[in-house]
Amino acid sequence: MRILVILRSAWRNDNNSGNTMTDLFSGMSDCTFYSFSMREQLPDNPIAQRNFAVSEQQILHELLHPSRIGGETKCIQASEETQVRAAQEKKMYTLAKQTHSMLLAILRECIWMPGIWKNENLRTYLREVQPDIIFMPTFCCLYPYKILSYIRRLTDAKVVLFHVDDNYTLRQFSLNPLYWLYRFRLRHHVRKAVKSAAINYVISDVQKHDYEKAFGVPCKVLTKSADFSGEPPVKTQYNTPLQLIFTGNIGTNRWKSLAIIAKALQTVNQNGVRAQLRIYTGTLLTDQMKAALEIPETSFLMGSAPASEIPKIQADADMLVHVEAFDLKNRLLVRQSFSTKLVDYFRAARPILAVGPHDVASIRHLVENDCAVTAKDAETLAQRLDAIVGDPGALDQLARRAYACGKRHHDKAVMGKMLQTDFLSLRQ
């Protein structure tokens, strides 16, 4: 079976979407994978046999020469020209993320609108690949859905969608009229794609409930998974002081939830340092963030860590931290989403500390499975931490419940079997 995976970023194991694709599809027999991406980056994964890319940079550079747009990419050293384009592209996307500019989003749509990427280069690639299935995570922009529709018409392949964020409901917050105009257009494309899909996967039970009600089609929960076949690798000895570790993005006001933890630890440490928080993040930090999160002997900003070092950092931790923001806009933004790093936390068999609203899918998952210390304010959190910091037995119990949650809901064998069975059913 031949499966074409459509992504915005290149399929790379060092970015979130690429790492998730590798996790989902590794070990699947009787399947050959190919990719289509919309960035200048080169692919770097052990799964896709061939990769095709077209980007805004190519469209702008070759506007008068459509035949040059798009081509196969390989996991090799990038040329100097590709490196320059990739650096320019990274700056552009970083700016877009920092400003959340709707004008930039609309400008991007204008770049893709002429459809000059619909050329012989892409058609040749599709004729040679001849996919049976097109697999695409859903996106918060319009042009990927146009690409999906075009490729589906050319190949007559079955479509499988993977919904990882809320790109459809109106349960969002914005005072920008352009946002809502764009959102309604996005809803049109998402609904059209859902109706054309043979299978719709969702990332959480919250999203499953919302989307089945909105679209009237069955949805299946699919998440990142791991091997939970053995005994949980619970720590044999905890550090003194206890080491709490957070790894990841602290933007979109997640830092404020980390500040709640830091404040709680100050209370816990009043009569001696018993627990410390170490924050590994590549997020650009403001003075306000630093003031809230850099507390002598209690909370430390460690900078960013390479993806290759994260598993060891998590394994060395005594407790792993997950946070979501409490403000309305950001709470609604991630209400349906599930953090992929939670699966890594479950597999590490470490106690989990979570701070965030309980109606957000990731926090709700932890609460419903009783596998984390959770709290909404510093005072309550300090009380709960004070009770377990010096109790290895309580920490072990938490760690085992986290591992058990992973085994019940995110087991690689179960997820892989579901994907394999579902894909085979589409070939019949």
Side-chain angles (χ1 to χ4, degrees):
M1 187 178 309
R2 303 162 77 86
I3 301 164
L4 177 66
V5 179
I6 297 179
L7 298 168
R8 285 176 65 200
S9 302
W11 188 340
R12 298 178 58 87
N13 288 348
D14 59 2
N15 65 44
N16 192 50
S17 60
N19 182 268
T20 299
M21 294 304 107
T22 297
D23 173 81
L24 291 177
F25 298 131
S26 60
M28 287 187 65
S29 58
D30 301 322
C31 294
T32 305
F33 291 90
Y34 307 88
S35 78
F36 176 99
S37 63
M38 307 164 213
R39 296 279 180 86
E40 284 291 334
Q41 302 165 304
L42 291 179
D44 186 10
N45 72 85
I47 297 179
Q49 299 293 309
R50 296 170 65 178
N51 307 272
F52 187 95
V54 60
S55 69
E56 288 107 357
Q57 291 277 14
Q58 292 175 18
I59 294 172
L60 290 172
H61 277 253
E62 311 293 350
L63 194 59
L64 300 179
H65 306 282
S67 62
R68 299 179 186 174
I69 294 171
E72 286 201 53
T73 55
K74 298 179 180 179
C75 302
I76 58 176
Q77 181 67 34
S79 66
E80 184 175 345
E81 181 183 3
T82 300
Q83 289 178 2
V84 170
R85 287 188 178 184
Q88 293 172 342
E89 183 181 72
K90 185 175 180 180
K91 288 181 181 179
M92 181 174 64
Y93 275 89
T94 299
L95 175 64
K97 286 181 180 179
Q98 289 174 348
T99 61
H100 302 287
S101 171
M102 288 307 306
L103 291 176
L104 285 177
I106 292 170
L107 175 61
R108 181 178 60 194
E109 298 295 344
C110 292
I111 293 171
W112 287 91
M113 192 177 294
I116 58 176
W117 45 270
K118 300 176 184 177
N119 60 16
E120 191 58 29
N121 293 341
L122 176 56
R123 289 190 287 271
T124 298
Y125 178 70
L126 295 175
R127 281 196 298 268
E128 293 175 356
V129 168
Q130 294 184 326
D132 301 300
I133 293 173
I134 304 166
F135 184 96
M136 188 180 87
T138 55
F139 300 107
C140 62
C141 45
L142 312 183
Y143 63 92
Y145 299 96
K146 298 175 183 178
I147 292 170
L148 170 67
S149 180
Y150 179 73
I151 293 177
R152 182 177 65 85
R153 290 198 306 271
L154 282 186
T155 63
D156 200 32
K158 300 289 180 64
V159 173
V160 176
L161 294 179
F162 183 27
H163 304 271
V164 294
D165 292 307
D166 180 8
N167 295 310
Y168 185 79
T169 77
L170 297 178
R171 295 186 66 178
Q172 299 290 315
F173 177 82
S174 177
L175 298 178
N176 186 345
L178 286 178
Y179 171 88
W180 290 109
L181 289 172
Y182 193 88
R183 183 78 175 180
F184 277 104
R185 192 61 186 162
L186 176 62
R187 281 165 57 88
H188 166 77
H189 284 286
V190 172
R191 176 172 284 277
K192 183 179 176 182
V194 167
K195 295 299 183 182
S196 73
I199 298 175
N200 283 277
Y201 291 115
V202 292
I203 197 74
S204 68
D205 288 325
V206 174
Q207 193 173 54
K208 175 180 169 66
H209 174 269
D210 288 355
Y211 278 16
E212 286 184 340
K213 182 178 179 180
F215 299 122
V217 299
C219 299
K220 291 186 171 185
V221 176
L222 174 68
T223 68
K224 181 178 177 179
S225 59
D227 179 8
F228 291 92
S229 58
E231 288 296 312
V234 177
K235 290 196 81 166
T236 56
Q237 186 173 354
Y238 293 93
N239 292 294
T240 304
L242 202 73
Q243 296 298 303
L244 282 65
I245 301 295
F246 175 88
T247 57
N249 169 37
I250 65 172
T252 58
N253 281 341
R254 286 189 176 97
W255 68 271
K256 292 185 178 180
S257 295
L258 284 172
I260 291 175
I261 298 174
K263 185 177 180 182
L265 289 179
Q266 282 185 293
T267 302
V268 171
N269 291 339
Q270 280 180 338
N271 298 317
V273 180
R274 302 171 63 204
Q276 297 175 323
L277 171 65
R278 298 185 186 275
I279 301 165
Y280 293 85
T281 182
T283 301
L284 185 64
L285 301 173
T286 65
D287 290 340
Q288 187 181 14
M289 292 179 184
K290 292 176 182 177
L293 299 177
E294 286 186 320
I295 301 173
E297 298 298 318
T298 295
S299 179
F300 308 88
L301 289 165
M302 309 298 293
S304 61
S308 58
E309 293 181 11
I310 297 299
K312 184 179 186 306
I313 291 172
Q314 292 176 351
D316 291 341
D318 296 312
M319 180 173 278
L320 295 169
V321 174
H322 174 67
V323 293
E324 296 291 2
F326 284 98
D327 66 284
L328 180 62
K329 179 180 179 178
N330 288 300
R331 189 172 81 237
L332 291 176
L333 189 67
V334 299
R335 187 180 61 87
Q336 294 180 349
S337 304
F338 179 80
S339 175
T340 56
K341 74 181 175 189
L342 281 180
V343 178
D344 298 328
Y345 285 12
F346 298 148
R347 180 64 186 86
R350 295 293 177 268
I352 297 173
L353 168 63
V355 172
H358 287 193
D359 60 344
V360 168
S362 61
I363 302 291
R364 178 174 168 178
H365 188 61
L366 297 172
V367 171
E368 289 180 345
N369 286 278
D370 191 25
C371 61
V373 175
T374 60
K376 297 180 180 180
D377 60 81
E379 183 179 354
T380 304
L381 182 59
Q383 293 172 359
R384 293 178 180 174
L385 283 174
D386 191 62
I388 66 167
V389 163
D391 188 347
L395 294 170
D396 283 352
Q397 191 176 41
L398 267 176
R400 292 182 185 279
R401 290 207 298 266
Y403 189 87
C405 175
K407 188 176 182 65
R408 281 195 305 273
H409 298 286
H410 311 283
D411 187 80
K412 179 70 174 175
V414 175
M415 289 289 181
K417 184 177 180 180
M418 179 180 73
L419 278 173
Q420 187 107 22
T421 301
D422 289 348
F423 285 5
L424 288 173
S425 72
L426 298 182
R427 190 168 61 177
Q428 297 172 359

